[in-house]
Structure formats: C-alpha cells, structure tokens
Amino acid sequence: MRTAIYPGSFDPVTNGHLDVLQRATKLFDQVIVAVARSESKRPLFSLEERVRMVVRATQHLPNVEVDSFESLLLTYAERRSAQAVVRGLRAVSDFEFEFQLALMNRKLNDRIETIFMMPKDTYTFLSSRLVKEMAQLGGDVSAFVPAHVREALAARFSSRPA
Ligand code: ADP
C-alpha cells in the first residue's frame, strides 16, 4: 500500500490544490490530505471548517482521506505509515522555500520522500491568499474554488466589516 500525505493550511481549499491532489491520487493507493492547524498564520477559517471544506471537495475521489495534524509533519507522516509527502509547485517563487523545506525534512527523516507536482497551467497563479483577497473585495472567485467554498467565503465576508 503506497500512501502519500498532502499537507497544507487549505485556508481555503482551491481548485489548484484539488488539481494537484487529483494527480497524486493516480500515483498512490491512498492520499491523505493533512490540514495543518497553522495557528501562526492566523487562518480565516477554523481547522474544523477547513477540514469540512476539503471533505466536501474530495467526496468524488475514493482514495482520499482528510485529516488534520498539529505535530511535526514528518512525525505525522511516520505515524500514518506514509512513504511520501506531496507538495505543489506553482512557480519559481515557490521553489526556494519548498526546496529548503524538503531538504530539512530529509535530514529529519530519510525514509519519506517529498514529491513535487505542478498544477494545470491555469492554476499556477492561484493561491488561497489571493482568493481571500478577491472575495473580500467582492470579486467573483467561482473559477478558482468549488461552489461551497465560494459560498463560505461570501458568508464570512458579509458578516465582517470591510
Ligand atoms: P501551506 O500553508 O503549507 O503553504 P497551502 O494550503 O497554501 O499550505 O498549500 C499547500 C500545498 O499546496 C503547498 O505545497 C502549495 O505549494 C500547494 N499549492 C497551493 N496552491 C496551489 C496551486 N494553485 N497549484 C498548485 N499547488 C498549490
């Protein structure tokens, strides 16, 4: 059984995340989307909300499980008996940080490989941060996130002063 972990904040999950995830499901028997608590990033959505949005967005993918974690990623990956960690690479700007992280993780645990996957070109500019900014300013984000995420963003920003 080949298992990969796809970790991230997913605040909120976007079509770019889902594109990478779908590609990963073809390479592994099981992919665990691991939503990080990421308290220091002051997420817009709570951990439970982010998990729920990913669950709903991945219902059609039979070999995907959604979980959350608070520990060190490699500790979590080891506990889940994963062989690999999947990360998305959008542009050169992602590379330096991801490269550092992957090598640091290899120092911590040489048994788990980091695998980089590129999304469809139309998603290479997409990030959760930009989607949040657009939604907050009343922009149409329907091309970038699933419908239920668009609704959650609209609800969140309509209940907050601009
Ligand atoms: P983190 O807080 O760990 O950066 P994110 O939720 O922002 O978490 O991203 C999780 C993973 O998904 C990262 O590997 C990131 O590079 C990747 N990712 C985010 N947006 C996209 C996208 N549009 N296309 C491909 N990969 C993406």
Side-chain angles (χ1 to χ4, degrees):
M1 176 96 166
R2 310 296 293 176
T3 300
I5 309 282
Y6 182 29
S9 310
F10 303 100
D11 183 41
V13 64
T14 69
N15 292 343
H17 291 130
L18 295 171
D19 182 276
V20 165
L21 176 63
Q22 199 153 7
R23 290 170 200 281
T25 60
K26 296 185 192 138
L27 300 179
F28 292 91
D29 300 307
Q30 184 192 29
V31 181
I32 302 171
V33 182
V35 183
R37 184 169 281 283
S38 298
E39 216 53 71
S40 62
K41 292 190 177 173
R42 309 190 85 251
L44 176 66
F45 294 103
S46 71
L47 180 62
E48 293 69 28
E49 288 169 324
R50 285 179 277 142
V51 167
R52 240 181 285 133
M53 283 188 271
V54 180
V55 167
R56 199 158 159 200
T58 57
Q59 268 165 353
H60 61 293
L61 297 169
N63 56 340
V64 168
E65 181 191 322
V66 187
D67 194 9
S68 60
F69 74 107
E70 298 187 38
S71 61
L72 203 59
L73 171 62
L74 272 283
T75 311
Y76 174 76
E78 189 81 57
R79 181 160 66 73
R80 298 302 313 260
S81 310
Q83 290 81 22
V85 167
V86 170
R87 294 287 288 174
L89 263 195
R90 283 163 290 192
V92 183
S93 50
D94 276 340
F95 181 78
E96 186 150 0
F97 174 71
E98 292 294 341
F99 183 69
Q100 257 185 342
L101 190 66
L103 291 185
M104 179 78 103
N105 279 340
R106 183 180 282 167
K107 279 249 179 293
L108 292 175
N109 185 331
D110 202 15
R111 293 180 298 278
I112 297 176
E113 289 297 336
T114 302
I115 299 197
F116 293 108
M117 304 199 69
M118 283 166 292
K120 195 169 153 199
D121 54 0
T122 43
Y123 296 136
T124 51
F125 60 89
L126 188 55
S127 72
S128 299
R129 184 179 59 80
L130 277 181
V131 164
K132 282 181 281 192
E133 281 179 18
M134 278 178 70
Q136 186 166 22
L137 296 170
D140 180 7
V141 295
S142 52
F144 310 130
V145 294
H148 66 278
V149 174
R150 175 171 51 80
E151 285 155 21
L153 283 163
R156 185 55 47 100
F157 289 123
S158 71
S159 62
R160 274 185 167 198

